[in-house]
Amino acid sequence: MKLSGAEIFIECLKREGVKTVFALPGGVVLKIFDMLHQQKDLEVILTRHEQGAGHMAEGYAKATGKAGVCLVTSGPGMTNVITALADAYMDSVPVVCFSGQVPTHLIGNDAFQEADNVGLSRPCTKYNFLVKDVNDLAATIKEAFYIATTGRPGPVLVDIPKDVSQNMAEFAYPNSVSIRGYNPTYDGNKWQIKQAADAIAKAKKPILYVGGGVVFSGASQELLELAEMTQIPVDMTLMGLGVFPGEHQLSLGMLGMHGTYQANMAMHYSDLVIAVGARFDDRVTGKVSEFCPHAKVIHIDIDPTSIRKNIHVDVPIVGDCKTVLRELNQILRATVNGDQKDLRKPWWDQIHQWRQAHPLTYQQEKDGPIKPQHVVKRLYELTRDRDPIVSTDVGQHQMWAAQYFKLAQPNRWLTSGGLGTMGFGFPAAMGAQAAFRDRLVLCIAGDGSVQMNMQEMATAVVSKLPVKIIILNNGFHGMVRQWQDLFYNGRYASSDLGTTPDFVKLAEAYGAVGLRANKVAMLDEVLKQALATEGPVIVDVPTYPYENCYPMIPAGGCNHEMILEDPPELKKKQSGAQKVTPEDKDTVLTA
Amino acid sequence: MEHIISVTVENKFGVLSRVAGLFSGRGFNIESLSVAPTLDPSMSQMTIVTSGDERIIEQIVKQLNKLIDVIKVVDLNETEFVSRETAIIKVHTKDADRAEALRIVDIFRANVIDSTPSTYTIEVSGDPKKIEAIINLLQPLGIKDLVRTGRVAVAREPIRQAVTQTKKVARE
Ligand SMILES: Cc1cc2nc3c(=O)[nH]c(=O)nc-3n(C[C@H](O)[C@H](O)[C@H](O)COP(=O)(O)OP(=O)(O)OC[C@H]3O[C@@H](n4cnc5c(N)ncnc54)[C@H](O)[C@@H]3O)c2cc1C
Ligand SMILES: Cc1ncc(C[n+]2csc(CCOP(=O)(O)OP(=O)(O)O)c2C)c(N)n1
Ligand SMILES: [Mg+2]
């Protein structure tokens, strides 16, 4: 039987196990929407902006480990979704994006709402396709899902011209895919794994540096076994949070620019770095020439380009974390002997000293302004036994969330690391909520970031996605203000947001619930109320506007040279500071 | 250091821009790039002349391999290879210069492939040094037009086998 391209599209998605499509219609995709409207297997969530659709697909993918799917129209629909594709590309998120295109005979003619979708998305997708013939559609969609979800995951675009969605073809879904230029390596080289095991046996001050690759690979169990068997401390990247239990005694927390003191010191002074699914990003290495000066480096990564991109590697292992760690554990199980706790004691004594010297800390006065860290900590404590999924936007609040919200499991943490996309948090949370309707999904947002995709509140209300947004409202682009305080002499160029909008009223305008916690004493009560509310909620928490996020390694600095608190001049300035209006700000703060 | 990288790719729409985009997007050098179909019409062969230190060349080879439309990458500098470039040079030739032009053509074993009373169009093949040399000699006569193909290269057989990097095996 012959099916239209639009019907083929739907059949393919069903066979890929897709349940939800985040979408916004337009002229050239109307046939597809028309067919979607007449079926029951796929849920269509209508977003208010294509960027929202893209981030929702990302949130869905990160929470489920499966590809997230979005569907947009040609021209502006496509250009709007680009930010989300670039975000997914940087953070290796499996997303399959379908875009509409003008009819094949008009391509290249500057037709109405035409854009070169393949050209636009080339640098920010893992691969992309323009389907010119309906007979190729099914095989193309199969390849798209295969490429997005295998090897190092990433976004894939399938561009479908209007006539292709209307034309008829015999439907046959291929069972398998074979692409001669694409064969990801899953099994690590045995000899290299043996080298790694030898190095681990010899090391006195080893450290595990684990990242997003462990999430994609589903290798948390193997990681836990390795760490416990060898008593090696674990540093997590921002993208790796949750792959190792945050409260585990072997966890040192996050490393890098805003990582913990012990995580960065342990990294700097280690004699063996075991990098697992992490890519030595500059937020982690700091100054490359002085990165881990005493260490040998083992690097396990499925993407050969990640290896030796930034840092010299002694034992490179191309392969999947899970497969490689299994093999490594097997060797170590047979060779590790003696009590590892005893063996590692001097190293752990040193780490405990670091931990005690500079733990994460903040000062919350009973009647003083609410400290943002306190909000995250309380939120964590109030929700930990509900195993929530947590998303963040980008900025200081993101870093505090990373420091204080300790996750026990992977796929619970949705954040934009590589691109650092403000506006990611809320739609990503909605995507996760769409996948898990009954779970608690929290979005820890900044007052700046959340406004970048606020329109999706309409989607949350209409599509019943009861995300709880907690806005750490400091009235600033806080992260920018922090840099201005530290490196630009306190001149707040375009970082002051004022106090608009009223987020409570804004929530209400959308038909959601808005709550506010002004005082420390009412924080718990308000948070509990939000958690007990059925639909989407915004909790607006005005926080101390001048709080800075520490530790901090200045860009390009060395990992063992952290700024741990406000420099004295800054403290003095802030002790007298009120949140001030833009006009008199300079006079007050630089006085 | 200069490297010649031989890349076998799918003979598909858009592949050239993927390769070119990789080089421009990551700030890698391209000195020349030539591309044409192979005996198997489903594949094309690219020869890319690039430069960089060891780390950069390693990244270039890995990044090329990572492209889904790339089937095979060989860094020819890891082996012995022969390379050729062709240039077509149109020179003005006043009466007095015509004999001189032909002499130069002769020395370089080049060919005259077109001629008018006032011009010769000369085709020459060889390594880049040879091409530079003939250009230098023809310049005083007055070069009207010059096109060069960029280099193509192939590993020498069978002195030593090229160290290929196929995607089927782990590369580390
Ligand atoms: C404001 C801000 C501040 C930041 N501060 C910090 C900070 O303090 N600390 C920090 O760590 N980050 C920080 N980041 C994030 C940082 O920019 C990077 O995104 C992050 O460090 C990268 O994490 P990752 O190394 O785990 O790599 P990811 O981007 O998660 O990459 C995963 C790696 O694993 C590999 N991989 C994928 N699948 C597999 C598999 N199956 N098997 C093996 N390997 C696989 C991939 O090839 C890749 O190399 C910050 C970001 C922002 C926006
Ligand atoms: C789309 C986008 N534009 C600009 C930036 C640069 N930027 C990084 S953090 C930040 C401020 C974020 O402010 P807010 O969301 O209020 O978070 P806070 O730092 O105050 O917690 C800005 C502007 C960015 N990351 N993303
Ligand atoms: Mg803010």
Side-chain angles (χ1 to χ4, degrees), chain A residues 9 52 81 85 94 106 113-114 176 222 229-230 263 270 280 298 342 361 408 413 417-418 455 495 527 542-543 579:
Chain A
F9 166 85
V81 83
L85 292 179
L106 289 180
Q113 292 195 327
E114 179 178 0
S176 62
E222 288 74 9
M229 174 169 46
T230 56
S270 73
F280 292 90
I298 300 171
D342 284 351
T361 158
W413 176 247
Q455 76 286 344
S495 56
L527 288 177
T543 56
K579 176 72 167 74

Side-chain angles (χ1 to χ4, degrees), chain A residues 56 66-67 100 149 180 187 191 201 286 374 480 499 507 532 560 576:
Chain A
M56 285 181 214
K66 300 193 191 111
T149 52
R180 59 184 161 182
D187 296 329
W191 191 79
H374 187 62
V480 174
T499 47
H560 63 304

Side-chain angles (χ1 to χ4, degrees), chain A residues 134-157:
Chain A
V134 66
N135 289 297
D136 299 335
L137 184 60
T140 305
I141 294 177
K142 178 87 189 172
E143 285 187 19
F145 277 89
Y146 175 70
I147 292 171
T149 52
T150 52
R152 178 179 185 166
V156 175
L157 177 93

